[in-house]
Amino acid sequence: MGEYCPPAPTPLEHRLGIPRLLLTLKRNPLECWSADFFREPISRVRLPFCQAFLVNDPSAIKRVLVDNAENYDKDSIQRRILSAGLADGLLGVEGNRWQAQRRTLASLFARKTIVSFTSPMLSAADSLTDRWKRIGRQGPIDISAEMTLLTLNVLALTIFSDGISGDLDEFRLAMRSYFETIGRIGVFDLLGISPKVPRPGRTQLKRTVIYFEDIVDEMIARRQQRLGARNDAPEDILTLLLRATDPSTGRPMSLREVKSNILTFLSAGHETTANTLSCSFFLLSQSPYWRKCVCEEADRELRGPHDGLINRLIVTKAVVEEALRLYPPISALSRMASQADTLGSCAVPRGSLVVVAPYVLHRQQRLWDRPFAFDPTRFLEKSREKIGRFSYLPFGTGPRTCIGAAFALQEATLVLATLMHRFEMRLSSGAEVWPLQRVTLRPAKGLPMHVTPRRSDAPI
């Protein structure tokens, strides 16, 4: 069936010195990794004002993210990123506030609720099909941009069913600018300078956050009016969020917490899934064998009932999971050791930066066979039983596992199957596909593809 190794930076022979490291981190952090990081279980890195450890040992990862998680708080880089509108939401809060929000939000993403979103997710794929029908065959389509619009539409149909105020494409471009700005790692970040100290682009970022907050304020106001005056509001995630209370204390979330979590869902909830879908379409465009497998499964299973559909798309889901392995949307997690600790044979001093990078972990030569190759069989049948719990972390792990992981995986699987069933997607000639890390990992120059109907009865 052939083997395809998708584009990725070639690991450097030697580590970068501080000046080149700073420049490369600003350009694309994925290009900083040297070959030893892909071999060693724990690597020590000296930064200007602190020690750092890259952890790729599953037992050490378990200690950092699960067993001794209270010792490892978010570091200044993450705090700076989250301060841009997300500080009071689930991603930004710590300690008792985080525990209360996690308890409050857990029921909103229960399996039963997520399965009920099957039809709206398929409807979003139908809407995209109609959009492509209107566009016709005028040339290549940027699949990366199209997937962002689609995942925003999924949110509009499932979480915020009154719709997202304003133009979706304007929102998409604003969100891209938002991630581009907050995702750049600069000298101030590596020196541990407070997030309150202005960075380049802060003025534009402030305007973008105000734009998002205005949209969220309008969404909340419309929904509160429906909940109060007419009591005819839909039972979607927004309604549940406004009504939710902590099951332990009965306390509802504050309006600021609600706003931060809505912004979290809008940003993390669509950007990561859109990038996963884009990578999946690209990988299938380069692998005739797996493209054929996905199309055959989709042709067969989409004829059946919606009930249980996600459980029947076994091959499609494996492709999505392998895309998440090769191109994890969140490619690095960082923590700061509040007290001294020991990881494996390494003494970790207080104040050390500890990094778990799924992008590197998923390509570890000790943990994966042919780690740079695209091979969805890793996630089929008994093969997936060999994957260690702390060797594969596309959604994190431990108490802070992404609460929307099941939602995202279901959405990506259903959409991938539906669109592969309907269309042939061919990468545009001369297109340069390259992964870029800006908070999330995405195609640096978009993903231009020629889209044509695959079946005579495809609705286009």
Side-chain angles (χ1 to χ4, degrees):
M1 62 183 175
E3 185 169 273
Y4 174 63
C5 292
T10 300
L12 302 170
E13 185 176 349
H14 302 291
R15 295 190 189 183
L16 297 174
I18 294 298
R20 285 189 62 199
L21 175 64
L22 293 174
L23 289 173
T24 308
L25 281 171
K26 185 175 182 179
R27 183 179 68 246
N28 186 0
L30 290 186
E31 298 175 10
C32 292
W33 302 114
S34 56
D36 60 304
F37 290 124
F38 295 90
R39 296 191 301 264
E40 300 298 326
I42 301 178
S43 302
R44 188 189 302 264
V45 183
R46 293 197 178 276
L47 296 176
F49 284 87
C50 74
Q51 287 195 73
F53 296 83
L54 177 69
V55 181
N56 288 304
D57 175 65
S59 61
I61 291 173
K62 182 173 182 286
R63 178 161 181 81
V64 172
L65 297 180
V66 181
D67 296 340
N68 198 24
E70 67 276 7
N71 186 54
Y72 293 94
D73 297 326
K74 286 185 170 66
D75 63 280
S76 60
I77 297 176
Q78 288 200 62
R79 291 182 187 281
R80 190 263 299 167
I81 290 172
L82 295 172
S83 67
L86 308 180
D88 292 297
L90 190 62
L91 285 178
V93 295
E94 300 279 359
N96 291 336
R97 288 186 68 196
W98 174 83
Q99 291 176 4
Q101 286 198 30
R102 185 79 183 199
R103 288 193 303 264
T104 304
L105 294 171
S107 62
L108 279 62
F109 290 92
R111 178 173 176 77
K112 181 179 179 181
T113 304
I114 292 170
V115 170
S116 72
F117 290 150
T118 295
S119 291
M121 288 174 176
L122 293 173
S123 294
D126 291 340
S127 296
L128 187 66
T129 296
D130 293 338
R131 173 182 167 83
W132 286 353
K133 180 178 180 179
R134 292 193 299 272
I135 292 174
R137 301 175 184 177
Q138 301 173 2
I141 295 172
D142 183 358
I143 296 300
S144 180
E146 295 295 305
M147 290 306 104
T148 304
L149 288 171
L150 180 142
T151 54
L152 281 172
N153 195 24
V154 168
L155 290 179
L157 292 172
T158 59
I159 296 182
F160 315 113
S161 54
D162 281 337
I164 297 171
S165 301
D167 180 76
L168 281 186
D169 200 48
E170 180 184 2
F171 189 96
R172 175 187 69 82
L173 292 172
M175 191 62 73
R176 185 178 184 87
S177 172
Y178 171 81
F179 278 106
E180 181 73 23
T181 304
I182 67 173
R184 289 186 180 274
I185 300 174
V187 176
F188 284 9
D189 295 315
L190 293 181
L191 295 180
I193 294 175
S194 170
K196 296 180 180 179
V197 176
R199 266 74 165 171
R202 180 57 62 96
T203 301
Q204 175 60 39
L205 178 61
K206 186 175 181 180
R207 286 197 294 264
T208 304
V209 171
I210 291 172
Y211 165 76
F212 291 143
E213 289 185 338
D214 286 345
I215 289 175
V216 171
D217 285 340
E218 184 176 343
M219 291 167 61
I220 291 176
R222 284 190 300 172
R223 183 56 54 86
Q224 287 179 323
Q225 184 178 23
R226 293 186 67 178
L227 285 170
R230 293 175 288 173
N231 198 27
D232 65 345
E235 287 294 317
D236 59 10
I237 294 293
L238 179 54
T239 291
L240 296 175
L241 187 63
L242 289 168
R243 288 175 171 169
T245 57
D246 183 341
S248 296
T249 65
R251 174 188 173 273
M253 285 194 290
S254 69
L255 186 59
R256 181 131 197 101
E257 289 173 330
V258 170
K259 288 175 61 173
S260 283
N261 278 298
I262 291 174
L263 185 54
T264 297
F265 298 156
L266 286 171
S267 55
H270 90 277
E271 174 80 6
T272 54
T273 309
N275 293 340
T276 299
L277 277 164
S278 298
C279 292
S280 298
F281 284 119
F282 166 69
L283 291 167
L284 289 177
S285 76
Q286 303 302 299
S287 178
Y289 173 81
W290 287 106
R291 184 166 66 247
K292 180 174 180 289
C293 290
V294 168
C295 287
E296 288 178 347
E297 180 177 77
D299 293 348
R300 181 180 65 251
E301 300 302 338
L302 289 173
R303 293 193 185 99
H306 287 180
D307 289 347
L309 176 59
I310 188 63
N311 298 320
R312 302 196 304 271
L313 295 172
I314 298 169
V315 175
T316 309
K317 183 181 177 184
V319 167
V320 171
E321 290 180 302
E322 177 69 345
L324 285 165
R325 184 186 71 84
L326 288 165
Y327 296 123
I330 304 301
S331 52
L333 309 168
S334 51
R335 298 288 187 269
M336 189 70 71
S338 57
Q339 299 295 330
D341 196 13
T342 301
L343 298 176
S345 60
C346 291
V348 178
R350 177 183 178 182
S352 297
L353 183 69
V354 177
V355 178
V356 178
Y359 176 82
V360 179
L361 177 69
H362 295 174
R363 296 165 185 259
Q364 275 287 304
Q365 299 170 14
R366 297 173 301 103
L367 302 175
W368 301 90
D369 179 37
R370 302 164 4 268
F372 294 91
F374 173 60
D375 181 13
T377 57
R378 306 176 203 273
F379 296 94
L380 293 175
E381 298 176 350
K382 293 185 179 180
S383 294
R384 73 174 303 128
E385 296 175 5
K386 302 175 185 177
I387 301 173
R389 178 185 169 192
F390 298 96
S391 299
Y392 179 65
L393 305 176
F395 298 106
T397 191
R400 284 190 173 269
T401 295
C402 174
I403 198 170
F407 182 102
L409 190 56
Q410 174 175 300
E411 177 186 357
T413 302
L414 292 172
V415 170
L416 184 64
T418 302
L419 296 181
M420 290 302 295
H421 168 68
R422 294 175 177 172
F423 301 105
E424 182 77 30
M425 300 190 197
R426 177 171 51 86
L427 188 67
S428 181
S429 176
E432 297 179 17
V433 179
W434 193 250
L436 172 69
Q437 181 183 340
R438 286 286 184 269
V439 181
T440 62
L441 192 156
R442 64 174 187 248
K445 298 180 180 180
L447 189 61
M449 303 187 83
H450 293 274
V451 177
T452 55
R454 179 177 156 260
R455 296 162 52 86
S456 59
D457 60 345
I460 185 172

